Amino acid sequence: MAPPKVQIIQPPMDLRKRAVNFKTGFGVILTPAEASQLEAVVEKSSDNFAKQIAAKLKTLRAALAGLADGGAPHMALIERVAADALEIKGLGGTFKFPLLTQIAKSLHDYAAPIKEPNVWHGVIFAHHVDALYVVLAQRITGLGGKVESELLKALREASNKFK
Amino acid sequence: MPEKIDFSKVRFLICDPNALSLTMLNDILSMLGATYIRKVNDFEKAMNVLKEGNIDIVITEHDLPAEGGIALVDYIRNDPSSRNRLLPVILLTARSEEQYVVEARDHGVNEFVAKPYTVDSLYKRLSMVIAYPRPFVSAPGYFGPDRRRKQMPFNGNERRGVDPNARPS
C-alpha cells in the first residue's frame, strides 16, 4: 500500500508583499519607543479594567452572600464563577495585576471541574472573591509580598482540601 | 534599513466574548495603524465575517460562544466552503495550559498567545504571521501550518513529496 501523500505548501506571500516595506509602520522587531507607545494603550485601559472587574466581583459577592443559609451554590452560579475567574485570570497580568491572575486561576481550577455542588464550594468561592477584591481595591500590582504569597498558598490548600 | 509592517494594509477579524479584551485588542491594533478591524463576540458572527472573505488575519479566543475558537479554526482549515484555508490564525486565550496549546497546534493554529499577554508577545506573533509566514502541510488528518519549528538535520530517505507550487485541494 502506498504511504499517505503529504504535501508541503509554500506559504502565501501576498500579505507580506502588501504590508512589509521599508518606510511606513512599526518595525518587524519593535524598537523601545514603539513598545512604549503600545504599552500606553494598555495603561489607558487600566482604569476601565479595574472598574469592570470590581463590578463583576461585587455581583459575585452578592450572589454568594445570597445563598440560602448553609446551602450549596447551584450549577448556574458555579459556571458563572468559573467563567468570570477565567476572564480575570486572562486580564489581570496584562494590567500589571499578576496576583489577580494567580488567585483567579486558583478559583477557576477549583470551580471548573465541579459536578456536584456542596456547601464548601460556596465558602471557598467567597474566600477567593474576597481576596480578588482586596488585591484590586488595594491596587496590589506585581506579585505582592510574603503576606500575599501566604494567602495564595492558603487558598490553594483550602481548594485542595474541600473539593 | 530595517523592515517595517504597514498595518493599514492588514484586515483583521478579532473574536472574543469579553468586551474589555476585545476593546483592548482593537485599541492595540488601531495604535499599530490598522484601520480594518471586524470585532465579534461569538462563533456565528465570526463565521458570517469569514464568509464575506475580506480578512487577512484572525485573532480568536478559545472560549467563543457557541462552538468555540477551535471550531472556527476547523472551519477555516477544513471546510469546503472556506474562502481561504491558509488564513493566519492567532489563538489569544486565557486557556493557557499545555493541553490547549497542543489542541491549537493540532487543529492548525499559526500562533498561540496565552492571556495575560504583553503587547510585545502579541506583536511578535503578529510580526511572524505577516513577515515570516510558515509553510503549510496537507496530510491525512491534518491541514495547517508546518508544526516543526526547529530545522533538525535528517540523514534518512526523504519520504515527503515536496512540491513548492502545490496548493490546497
Side-chain angles (χ1 to χ4, degrees), chain A residues 3-30 34-35 37-42 44-45 48-50 52-53 56 86-87 89-95 101 105 108-109 112, chain B residues 1-7 9-11 18 20-21 24 27-28 31-32 56-57 63 86 88 94-97 115-120 123 127 129-140 143 146 148 160-164 166-168:
Chain A
K5 193 166 165 61
V6 176
Q7 277 186 314
I8 307 290
I9 301 162
Q10 289 308 300
M13 300 306 278
D14 51 328
L15 181 58
R16 183 185 157 83
K17 279 180 193 156
R18 209 181 331 136
V20 178
N21 67 92
F22 291 99
K23 287 182 183 168
T24 321
F26 280 70
V28 167
I29 296 166
L30 283 180
E34 288 169 338
Q37 251 182 296
L38 294 176
E39 287 293 345
V41 177
V42 179
K44 212 177 103 189
S45 304
N48 195 16
F49 162 77
Q52 287 198 23
I53 299 303
K56 254 184 211 305
L86 186 66
E87 196 179 313
K89 174 194 164 195
L91 287 166
T94 300
F95 291 101
T101 285
K105 177 176 168 22
H108 178 259
D109 290 350
Chain B
M1 193 184 291
E3 285 185 323
K4 291 174 179 287
I5 300 173
D6 182 353
F7 284 89
K9 309 280 189 208
V10 186
R11 298 163 299 180
N18 177 246
L20 184 59
S21 286
M24 196 173 76
D27 291 350
I28 291 170
M31 171 59 83
L32 287 170
D56 296 312
I57 295 177
D63 287 20
L86 308 177
R95 301 271 183 192
S96 52
E97 292 78 11
K115 290 179 186 173
Y117 63 95
T118 60
V119 283
D120 187 51
Y123 188 83
S127 180
V129 296
I130 296 168
Y132 306 108
R134 279 187 282 157
F136 270 64
V137 172
S138 176
F143 183 88
D146 194 340
R148 297 167 302 175
R160 289 190 168 178
V162 180
D163 176 359
R167 304 294 298 174

Side-chain angles (χ1 to χ4, degrees), chain B:
Chain B
M1 193 184 291
E3 285 185 323
K4 291 174 179 287
I5 300 173
D6 182 353
F7 284 89
S8 70
K9 309 280 189 208
V10 186
R11 298 163 299 180
F12 289 93
L13 167 61
I14 59 177
C15 322
D16 198 313
N18 177 246
L20 184 59
S21 286
L22 202 60
T23 303
M24 196 173 76
L25 183 55
N26 179 73
D27 291 350
I28 291 170
L29 295 175
S30 298
M31 171 59 83
L32 287 170
T35 51
Y36 188 98
I37 307 166
R38 302 287 297 270
K39 293 175 282 182
V40 299
N41 56 10
D42 69 29
F43 178 84
E44 284 304 319
K45 288 176 193 144
M47 289 285 284
N48 290 338
V49 174
L50 285 173
K51 282 173 183 167
E52 292 171 20
N54 301 317
I55 295 297
D56 296 312
I57 295 177
V58 175
I59 304 176
T60 183
E61 222 321 330
H62 180 283
D63 287 20
L64 194 63
E67 303 279 330
I70 295 297
L72 195 67
V73 181
D74 284 340
Y75 166 77
I76 292 167
R77 299 281 179 252
N78 302 314
D79 196 280
S81 66
S82 173
R83 300 281 294 261
N84 179 5
R85 294 181 70 195
L86 308 177
L87 193 62
V89 180
I90 297 173
L91 199 72
L92 180 63
T93 179
R95 301 271 183 192
S96 52
E97 292 78 11
E98 189 185 354
Q99 70 198 82
Y100 297 103
V101 180
V102 172
E103 182 191 28
R105 184 199 63 188
D106 290 347
H107 283 258
V109 165
N110 294 68
E111 299 290 340
F112 187 100
V113 183
K115 290 179 186 173
Y117 63 95
T118 60
V119 283
D120 187 51
S121 66
L122 173 65
Y123 188 83
K124 276 181 182 151
R125 299 332 192 282
L126 277 171
S127 180
M128 284 299 289
V129 296
I130 296 168
Y132 306 108
R134 279 187 282 157
F136 270 64
V137 172
S138 176
Y142 178 74
F143 183 88
D146 194 340
R147 291 174 282 190
R148 297 167 302 175
R149 298 263 185 173
K150 288 181 184 166
Q151 295 297 318
M152 305 291 280
F154 176 66
N155 296 322
N157 293 328
E158 183 54 73
R159 294 194 298 172
R160 289 190 168 178
V162 180
D163 176 359
N165 298 314
R167 304 294 298 174
S169 51

Side-chain angles (χ1 to χ4, degrees), chain A residues 91-158:
Chain A
L91 287 166
T94 300
F95 291 101
K96 299 192 169 54
F97 288 98
L99 187 59
L100 218 51
T101 285
Q102 292 206 4
I103 297 169
K105 177 176 168 22
S106 169
L107 178 56
H108 178 259
D109 290 350
Y110 182 69
I114 293 174
K115 296 277 183 286
E116 290 172 26
N118 66 44
V119 177
W120 287 108
H121 293 144
V123 176
I124 303 294
F125 288 171
H127 285 314
H128 275 88
V129 170
D130 285 346
L132 288 167
Y133 210 83
V134 169
V135 171
L136 198 62
Q138 299 296 318
R139 297 264 171 175
I140 302 172
T141 52
L143 286 169
K146 197 177 171 208
V147 174
E148 288 79 9
S149 162
E150 290 293 324
L151 168 72
L152 191 59
K153 196 173 151 199
L155 286 171
R156 284 176 182 153
E157 279 173 10

